[in-house]
Amino acid sequence: MKMSQLFVQTLREFPNDAEAISHKLLVRAGYIKKLANGIYTYLPLAQRVLTKISNIVREEMDATGAQEMLMPFVQPAELWQKSGRWNVYGKELLRCTDRHDNEMCLAPTHEEVVTSVVSDIVSSYKQLPLNVYHIQLKFRDEIRPRFGLLRGREFIMKDAYSFHTSQEDLDREYEVMGRAYTNIFKRCGLETRAVQSDSGAIGGSVSHEYMVLTDTAVGENDVFYCDECGYSANSNHAESFLPVEEVDGGFDEEKLVDTPNVKTIEELSKFLNVNENCILKAVAYIADSKPVIAMIRGDKEIEETKLLNALNALEIRPMENEEIAQFLNSCAGFISYRDVDTSKVRVLFDKSSKGMKNFVLGANIKDKHYVGSNLPENIDFVDISCVKAGEYCPVCKKPLKMTRGIEVGNIFQLGTKYSKPMNACYTDSEGQLKPYIMGCYGIGITRTMAAAIEKYHDDFGIIWPKEIAPYHVDVVPVNIDDEVQSKVAYDLYEKLNNLGIETVIDDRNDRAGVKFKDADLIGFPIRITVGKTISEGLVEFKTRNDGVVVKITPDEAIEKCQKILLN
Ligand code: ATP
Ligand code: MG
């Protein structure tokens, strides 16, 4: 490819609507162009990267025996009503109506379609197990599509679905997929860690996320892990071992005290001169339109996903001030579980409150708290709190560490979550109808591209792992009008391409500085510069990842490219 013809426009400045470095670089280096919020055109450079990632995914999936197909992006509501998700999926599901007034949606995922297709075709246990996948667009009307390809509204996903006659067979396939995932990401140049996760709207019981661990702030997930035993979990699912701590507020009797305008835990702790862990905090939520109070030790925070699961609810949100008055007859900052009608309001106690004594508690009266309160008898404590680094591993009790991660893929055991409601069954060896036991396995193709940039970049641009770089080599003649330079450069360009090394020649009539900047920005793994030293028979060979430059002959440069790229 000649740079003069490549459909790319690099920009001098970063776009000002981008926060994530991958977003900034993808736009500035001419990989993507925004059409609408969270919706992008993948320009030729991006398309080459996406094709490479997709091909790695294909090869590894095919090697496990999974079969590629392609399912529709626009889907009838009927299917989603059958699975029960039409009303549950919420605003991320983009719905529309066709000319015949049929309700439709844009696929956020494909469980419904695949379950219906397979159940039409597979009727006997003899046709199982089966694993089918596709690489297809998804649309999710994400609430904050602000990180470019890391969280788009329209994005590309590989999703695979497996069908089994037993849990053991699903377990086996789940492991096969896990190994394939590790290989896929490794081949993309990315180390991943499989962490236990919450199954969210997709459902099921066992699931793991494949995380690229990054220190950059945009990794959207906190991951807790233990170096000792290997435990690792997404923060929305992580557990910790907390030795029951006796914390005594030190008040010898219960009293109602004035706490005028003292609303936050921090203010309350200062005002009453007690530690935050001597305050029993109440947080009020609406879960599936019903009021809930979550009680937790003052120094801890509620993990809303864990709360959602503990309540077995589909949706939760914090209570609004008017609802606090209406449902709890209370006021924000002074809420308590006491004196509320527990037949109407559900009250949960986080395990962190175990061991609290003579503590501070809201009084459900504006500007008043109790001091010296104690817990009621016979509480069933639940785990609904965020883990903090330094708390102990739930498996081996060593201190947990925290890092940030980008979820590039995940694997779920769905069981019969879809096959049962959709009545998708096979006949077993005894002639009985049974629902399929299913698994599903997703990889964000576009997110993987962005994650690679989050992981590999510097101040000058992208540093592609060679396996997924759009091109391998950029040959730069410093002065394209110089006959000797131009001849050597074209010669290199042709020879490299003939060897299967994907090479660009920067034939633009631009200053060398401009060409070098673009080479770094776009992120070619190798740059070969043909300049004045060609009079001594030498070119400059630069590797992007370490910035090392050596002067060698053109033939040596070709050999070096082969050595670096083709093994
Ligand atoms: P997240 O928690 O990040 O929203 P998810 O749990 O909704 O992800 P899945 O439904 O399991 O994700 O989708 C499988 C894969 O698709 C994810 O691992 C991720 O790589 C990718 N993915 C999901 N949502 C997006 C998005 N909005 N933009 C880009 N990729 C996405
Ligand atoms: Mg999501």
Side-chain angles (χ1 to χ4, degrees), residues 92 140 142 151:
E92 275 188 24
R140 294 183 185 175
E142 299 272 357
R151 186 168 293 282

Side-chain angles (χ1 to χ4, degrees), residues 140 142 149-152 155 157 407-410 412 444 447:
R140 294 183 185 175
E142 299 272 357
L149 301 191
L150 285 174
R151 186 168 293 282
F155 59 97
M157 194 201 287
E407 177 201 324
V408 282
N410 58 26
F412 289 94
R447 188 183 282 180

Side-chain angles (χ1 to χ4, degrees), residues 365-384:
I365 305 170
K366 188 170 184 312
D367 295 339
K368 290 199 189 294
H369 280 86
Y370 287 109
V371 298
S373 289
N374 282 290
L375 291 168
E377 307 263 299
N378 302 327
I379 298 177
D380 282 329
F381 294 97
V382 288
D383 182 357
I384 49 172

Side-chain angles (χ1 to χ4, degrees), residues 53-55 57-58 61-62 66-75 80 106-115 117 131-140 155-163 177 181 184 440-445:
I53 296 172
S54 301
N55 285 341
V57 169
R58 278 196 181 96
M61 290 300 292
D62 291 352
Q67 300 173 55
E68 185 173 5
M69 55 184 203
L70 186 59
M71 290 180 274
F73 176 57
V74 181
Q75 308 181 351
W80 287 76
L106 299 188
T109 169
H110 281 78
E111 282 82 7
E112 279 73 4
V113 174
V114 79
T115 306
V117 169
N131 188 335
V132 287
Y133 73 97
H134 68 170
I135 297 178
Q136 172 62 302
L137 281 182
K138 299 280 181 275
F139 193 93
R140 294 183 185 175
F155 59 97
I156 303 172
M157 194 201 287
K158 183 287 297 182
D159 37 330
Y161 304 89
S162 70
F163 298 80
M177 285 294 115
Y181 272 38
I184 286 168
C440 79
Y441 318 92
I443 289 182
I445 303 288

Side-chain angles (χ1 to χ4, degrees), residues 37 73 84 92 202 217 226 239 281 307 352 364 443 487 530:
N37 244 352
F73 176 57
E92 275 188 24
I202 302 232
C226 171
E239 292 172 14
K281 172 164 74 173
L307 176 62
S352 61
N364 276 336
I443 289 182
K487 182 170 177 312
V530 186

Side-chain angles (χ1 to χ4, degrees), residues 33 161 166 238 274-275 291 314 344 354 502:
K33 185 95 191 131
Y161 304 89
S166 68
V274 293
N275 286 334
L314 297 169
K344 296 201 178 110
K354 217 187 232 174
E502 297 160 28

